[in-house]
Amino acid sequence: MVRSNMKRKGRAGMPTALVAILVLGLVPHFLSGKTAEAAGSAFPLKVMVGQSLVLEMPREVTTVSIADAKIADAAVGSLKSVVVNGKAAGVTSLVVWEEGGTYTLYQVVCSDAGVRQQVLLKCKVAEVNQSKAKELGMDWTAFVRSAQHLDGALAGGLFASKVETPADPLLLGPNTDGFLAYRKTDGNFQFLTTLQILEENGAARVLASPNLVALSGDSASFLAGGEFPVPIAQSANANSFAFTIEWKEYGVKLDFVPTVLDSQRIRLYVAPEVSSPDYNRAVVLAGTVIPALLTRRIETTVEMKPGEVLVIGGVKQTEEIKNTRKVPILGDIPLLNIFFKHKSSSLIERDLVIVVSAELVGQLATTWPSPLPGEPGYDAPKTQSAAPAPKGGK
């Protein structure tokens, strides 16, 4: 009986010992995996200068270590808590070791509410005239002699595009994009044509390209345009009116409000506006012509990293222009005026594109730029059409 009991204990004890060995072997592997995961990622931690933050941990804290004690310091507050104190604006690392040898890595971002950073705002406002991008113009002249049943010479031409000043022969100048000429050997026939391709001249233009510097939380604005007066009636009697004048802005206007959240994020409120007077819908008040305004306005708030670019597009405006030319008196006769009047209409589609970028400014320039535009020795910046070829390459 004793031998039998001993055998049963031996059979039951072997699996128990094996499981214990396997568990003990897996513990270091589990701990090393947890440590590697913690070491590869840093959890963000924000604290203000002069303030403290209590960090609760799931297990007992053994020790803490902070990389830069000038930015913040840390101490064990209790068995399972850590106190972090902000000392100066900046970013540093905090490591918290817990019972069992595991640790957690934190990225401490310390901000100073009394020191505001400056933000450089770069903006470009461009307009694409899609109707011009589709236009193609051509002027031509031709003459023929000694043709069958032609007792003389025949000449003609068409200058609908007005590439250059109408002339015979056609002129070539800065507005000409191409030309074609043919003359028969015996000189009895000649054909000339000049071309103007607006895609080559460019159907896009930059309306404004300002660079502004603003404090975090403050606004910055820019206006490239003008103002026109608007009379406002204040009082009136039987014989007179009393007016005051208010000025209405128009042109390219930009409003910004940058807010620095930390060294990696900027909250930017941007409100670009492009407006122009519209005299087709003007009103006359007290003898003053007051135009309407064609306005395209956008307002948005985004969060972006320093150096990132925000592109706003798809702001389209469609404008239809109608022109009428007629002969005086004859052009007003019903039915008959069709022979003495010419009507034309054009459809213009404009697409507005706004590009905005924000960067943190560490220090402004301390030297006066010289020479300035208009001063002797100033060279206007040149646009590079292509990158320079590498030396020694084929």
Side-chain angles (χ1 to χ4, degrees):
M1 293 296 295
V2 174
R3 184 179 298 176
S4 177
N5 289 337
M6 291 178 63
K7 288 182 179 180
R8 277 198 293 269
K9 289 180 181 180
R11 294 190 187 100
M14 288 298 293
T16 302
L18 181 60
V19 171
I21 293 174
L22 292 176
V23 171
L24 291 176
L26 289 176
V27 168
H29 177 73
F30 173 78
L31 293 179
S32 62
K34 180 70 175 180
T35 303
E37 181 181 358
S41 60
F43 298 100
L45 196 63
K46 297 180 181 180
V47 62
M48 302 296 295
V49 174
Q51 298 184 4
S52 300
L53 179 67
V54 178
L55 189 63
E56 297 289 342
M57 306 302 296
R59 291 180 293 272
E60 184 177 345
V61 179
T62 57
T63 185
V64 295
S65 175
I66 197 159
D68 192 345
K70 296 181 180 179
I71 296 177
D73 59 15
V76 179
S78 64
L79 292 178
K80 295 184 178 181
S81 66
V82 177
V83 180
V84 181
N85 302 315
K87 300 173 65 177
V91 180
T92 186
S93 298
L94 169 66
V95 183
V96 179
W97 274 274
E98 300 175 74
E99 185 181 14
T102 60
Y103 64 87
T104 307
L105 179 63
Y106 295 92
Q107 184 186 49
V108 181
V109 179
C110 189
S111 304
D112 190 352
V115 178
R116 292 188 295 172
Q117 290 183 282
Q118 297 185 107
V119 182
L120 172 63
L121 302 170
K122 299 180 180 180
C123 183
K124 277 196 175 183
V125 181
E127 185 181 61
V128 180
N129 192 326
Q130 295 183 351
S131 60
K132 284 187 177 181
K134 301 175 184 177
E135 290 184 5
L136 174 66
M138 179 179 68
D139 293 340
W140 61 271
T141 62
F143 78 88
V144 60
R145 299 177 189 163
S146 303
Q148 188 177 6
H149 306 298
L150 181 64
D151 187 11
L154 179 65
L158 184 63
F159 306 100
S161 298
K162 301 293 189 300
V163 176
E164 298 293 340
T165 303
D168 186 19
L170 294 179
L171 302 176
L172 301 180
N175 294 327
T176 305
D177 293 326
F179 77 97
L180 175 66
Y182 170 76
R183 182 189 294 271
K184 195 175 179 181
T185 303
D186 58 7
N188 289 332
F189 177 77
Q190 176 177 295
F191 178 79
L192 299 174
T193 179
T194 56
L195 302 176
Q196 184 181 32
I197 305 174
L198 293 184
E199 289 87 351
E200 295 294 330
N201 292 336
R205 57 175 180 162
V206 176
L207 302 180
S209 181
N211 292 338
L212 305 175
V213 176
L215 284 173
S216 174
D218 284 351
S219 61
S221 61
F222 170 85
L223 174 65
E227 298 179 339
F228 60 86
V230 179
I232 306 297
Q234 298 295 326
S235 61
N237 52 38
N239 299 321
S240 63
F241 291 88
F243 293 93
T244 60
I245 299 297
E246 292 185 1
W247 295 88
K248 184 67 176 179
E249 297 178 345
Y250 69 92
V252 181
K253 185 178 181 181
L254 301 171
D255 290 326
F256 299 94
V257 180
T259 303
V260 179
L261 302 179
D262 52 48
S263 60
Q264 298 296 325
R265 290 187 305 160
I266 300 175
R267 178 177 295 149
L268 181 62
Y269 166 80
V270 55
E273 176 182 319
V274 177
S275 59
S276 59
D278 182 11
Y279 287 93
N280 295 327
R281 299 175 178 85
V283 297
V284 179
L285 181 61
T288 303
V289 179
I290 305 174
L293 280 180
L294 296 176
T295 304
R296 286 168 288 174
R297 182 187 301 113
I298 302 172
E299 293 185 19
T300 184
T301 302
V302 298
E303 287 189 8
M304 54 196 306
K305 295 181 179 179
E308 289 185 341
V309 178
L310 171 65
V311 180
I312 304 174
V315 185
K316 294 187 177 182
Q317 176 186 351
T318 302
E319 180 181 359
E320 185 177 5
I321 301 176
K322 295 183 179 181
N323 297 318
T324 302
R325 294 182 298 172
K326 61 182 179 179
V327 178
I329 302 176
L330 296 178
D332 296 325
I333 301 176
L335 299 180
L336 189 62
N337 62 1
I338 190 174
F339 299 102
F340 304 97
K341 184 168 59 176
H342 173 73
K343 291 184 177 181
S344 63
S345 61
S346 59
L347 191 65
I348 301 176
E349 294 183 356
R350 296 185 175 93
D351 193 357
L352 197 63
V353 179
I354 300 101
V355 182
V356 182
S357 177
E359 298 179 2
L360 297 179
V361 178
Q363 184 179 1
L364 297 179
T366 57
T367 58
W368 186 265
S370 181
L372 294 174
E375 295 180 349
Y378 175 78
D379 294 330
K382 298 180 180 180
T383 303
Q384 296 183 356
S385 58
K391 297 181 179 179
K394 295 183 179 181

